[in-house]
Amino acid sequence: METKKNFYRVVLFLTIFSALLFMPDGQRAAEARNSRAWRERLSARTGTLWIEGQSLGDGIVLNARGELNVTWLERGLGRALETDKNVAEWVVSGLGYYHSSRRETRDKLRGRDVLVLNYRAVKNWSFDPAELTVDGYTITPDDILTRKEYWERELAPGRSGTVAVAAPSLKPGQTVELRYENSVIQLEVPHSRAR
């Protein structure tokens, strides 16, 4: 009888462990830390690109090399952060660039917004933030705000990371085209800037 109980405990443990192991790091962190209000804000400001993937509809994507979530973090979200700090660290860090102690960073953001790129490799992938185009503007190496030593370029399957970049300011209600290599999506910028 005891052996049977131990068997079921091991099966339950392995099931939970497997579910956590195969959940993307960014998703696991976001689910663990973001309040409902932040989940709604971030969802409205995020577009997902599946690199080299073939979409079958209903959220099913085949043969993708990687997943790239592009999130617009405008300055006004700092006010929301003052009242609700229940959000993942990458959001806090991304908003922190607007108030950086480094003058070079503040200069890069003059008249511009922060986009945070949360990426995850499904297959081996050479990730390059400078491959991202935002409404016709191609991100340059100079636009990358995250220091090189804090993100990886050559990714093995399952590896993930976060990079912040400076991009031209987006306008509420604007529909923006996000492109990475041959992957393209449209992101409608929320009407309320810090909703």
Side-chain angles (χ1 to χ4, degrees):
M1 188 67 159
E2 187 65 33
T3 306
K4 198 172 191 179
K5 282 183 182 178
N6 285 340
F7 173 76
Y8 288 120
R9 287 180 184 150
V10 169
V11 169
L12 179 63
F13 171 78
L14 290 174
T15 303
I16 292 170
F17 178 75
S18 296
L20 291 174
L21 180 66
F22 293 108
M23 183 184 289
D25 292 339
Q27 182 179 352
R28 193 170 30 235
E31 288 177 2
R33 296 189 186 129
N34 297 342
S35 68
R36 181 172 181 237
W38 273 107
R39 282 193 305 269
E40 290 173 2
R41 282 183 196 108
L42 296 175
S43 176
R45 290 165 171 76
T46 301
T48 301
L49 293 154
W50 289 96
I51 313 310
E52 296 181 20
Q54 178 185 2
S55 177
L56 299 179
D58 293 331
I60 299 172
V61 179
L62 295 178
N63 301 320
R65 182 157 302 284
E67 175 186 4
L68 176 60
N69 292 296
V70 181
T71 304
W72 173 53
L73 296 180
E74 78 274 21
R75 287 178 196 272
L77 284 176
R79 289 188 295 277
L81 189 61
E82 291 171 6
T83 60
D84 181 3
K85 295 185 186 308
N86 192 10
V87 68
E89 184 61 35
W90 64 264
V91 176
V92 177
S93 297
L95 290 171
Y97 285 108
Y98 289 114
H99 309 288
S100 174
S101 60
R102 298 176 67 211
R103 182 179 178 162
E104 175 186 318
T105 301
R106 289 193 315 270
D107 289 346
K108 284 183 186 182
L109 286 169
R110 194 164 289 137
R112 304 174 87 202
D113 290 333
V114 172
L115 295 180
V116 176
L117 315 179
N118 286 302
Y119 56 92
R120 177 180 64 90
V122 178
K123 301 176 182 175
N124 289 326
W125 181 26
S126 292
F127 171 70
D128 183 0
E131 292 285 329
L132 178 68
T133 302
V134 180
D135 223 24
Y137 176 82
T138 302
I139 300 299
T140 67
D142 192 49
D143 294 327
I144 300 170
L145 300 169
T146 305
R147 292 184 187 171
K148 286 182 184 181
E149 58 266 23
Y150 295 117
W151 59 277
E152 291 182 71
R153 182 180 173 108
E154 299 301 324
L155 303 168
R159 300 291 298 181
S160 61
T162 301
V163 173
V165 299
S169 288
L170 306 180
K171 297 173 180 54
Q174 172 185 10
T175 299
V176 177
E177 180 184 88
L178 300 173
R179 176 183 297 271
Y180 188 97
E181 295 176 351
N182 292 330
S183 302
V184 180
I185 60 161
Q186 303 290 320
L187 174 66
E188 186 173 332
V189 179
H191 285 282
S192 173
R193 286 191 62 89
R195 188 178 68 139

